[in-house]
Amino acid sequence: MKFFIDTANVEDIKKAYKIGVLSGVTTNPSLVAKEGVKFEDRIEEILKLVPEVESVSAEVTPDAITAEEMIAEANELIKINGGDKNITIKVPMNIAGLETCRYLNKKGVKINVTLVFTVNQALLAARAGATYVSPFLGRLDDISEDGVLLVSKIAELFRIHNLDAQIIAASVRHPDHVTRVAMAGAHIATVPYSVIEQLTKHPLTDQGMEKFAADWVKAPKN
Ligand code: E4P
């Protein structure tokens, strides 16, 4: 399973990129709004920052309701950074989003269908030509449903029917989510930097470091 970082914050993206685990970036209108910068400018900045990743998701705005409006926005987004091949257009899971997905697929543009909460939605997105489908597991857990189970069902369905779309486990809240979606067959988990940092930690690692440091003081030097 690959890691994408779920943020529009450049400092967090730099930190994750530096440690070599980053395969992509996902943003959404809420994450961009938090940054207080113009959406297109931040997407350009991110694309320039992480040229080696496979995908940087830029979502059509909530102002785009119809497929025509989503397509118009997508056609502007794909010009950013000189038509960067890594840009991935994120569309919501609805009829207009699927129509946009089909259009972009024919144009050879990568698409991430977001706000997926059922197996049927994932199937439709894959059939419409999505490169990625994003089930939101944390938000399902929030309403006492099983987000990881959804990921595992989608993975099984894609295997049975040989569907190429990759599953991005999204709305990931903690390290246990990461382990469980990896085991459930997600191709990618998109996670905030705080979760990447948590994944590196274990109390026995800290204790081991402290012991090495304490013993090293006693070691003869020269
Ligand atoms: C995915 O692409 C979304 O940006 C994200 O994972 C949403 O997560 P949240 O439920 O923490 O807002």
Side-chain angles (χ1 to χ4, degrees):
M1 186 179 75
K2 294 172 278 188
F3 286 102
F4 286 7
I5 189 166
D6 196 29
T7 187
N9 182 279
V10 288
E11 293 313 313
D12 282 353
I13 294 169
K14 281 183 198 165
K15 284 188 276 181
Y17 194 48
K18 264 203 292 211
I19 60 170
V21 299
L22 206 59
S23 298
V25 180
T26 52
T27 66
N28 66 37
S30 308
L31 293 171
V32 173
K34 273 208 290 204
E35 296 298 311
V37 287
K38 199 174 154 225
F39 172 44
E40 294 80 357
D41 293 348
R42 180 47 57 93
I43 295 297
E44 178 159 13
E45 204 178 342
I46 296 171
L47 285 164
K48 287 193 158 83
L49 207 58
V50 290
E52 289 156 28
V53 303
E54 70 176 55
S55 166
V56 172
S57 282
E59 188 159 340
V60 295
T61 72
D63 300 333
I65 309 295
T66 65
E68 291 68 28
E69 288 164 343
M70 289 184 194
I71 288 169
E73 284 195 6
N75 277 329
E76 290 308 308
L77 290 170
I78 60 176
K79 291 183 199 151
I80 296 180
N81 206 28
D84 198 305
K85 64 172 178 24
N86 287 343
I87 194 142
T88 299
I89 305 301
K90 206 172 179 189
V91 297
M93 175 60 224
N94 57 27
I95 295 287
L98 291 178
E99 194 177 327
T100 308
C101 182
R102 174 173 180 262
Y103 168 86
L104 292 170
N105 173 279
K106 284 187 185 304
K107 231 177 137 77
V109 175
K110 288 186 270 207
I111 314 109
N112 176 357
V113 176
T114 190
L115 292 168
V116 166
F117 292 95
T118 70
V119 174
N120 288 337
Q121 289 179 325
L123 178 57
L124 284 173
R127 285 293 178 211
T131 320
Y132 306 103
V133 300
S134 291
F136 276 39
L137 59 138
R139 293 193 195 182
L140 277 174
D141 288 3
D142 290 346
I143 59 160
S144 303
E145 290 197 25
D146 190 340
V148 175
L149 182 63
L150 173 65
V151 171
S152 94
K153 284 182 180 172
I154 296 171
E156 179 66 4
L157 180 94
F158 284 8
R159 265 195 302 271
I160 293 170
H161 297 287
N162 288 320
L163 292 165
D164 290 336
Q166 295 190 60
I167 302 165
I168 303 180
S171 187
V172 169
R173 302 272 159 81
H174 48 69
D176 189 47
H177 269 159
V178 175
T179 310
R180 290 168 63 214
V181 295
M183 301 304 293
H187 304 89
I188 298 152
T190 190
V191 299
Y193 184 73
S194 57
V195 172
I196 296 178
E197 209 170 24
Q198 283 172 358
L199 293 173
T200 68
K201 304 222 183 279
H202 193 279
L204 289 179
T205 306
D206 296 339
Q207 273 178 38
M209 294 285 291
E210 279 162 26
K211 174 135 179 42
F212 286 152
D215 291 344
W216 186 243
V217 174
K218 298 175 216 151
K221 318 266 172 358
N222 295 324

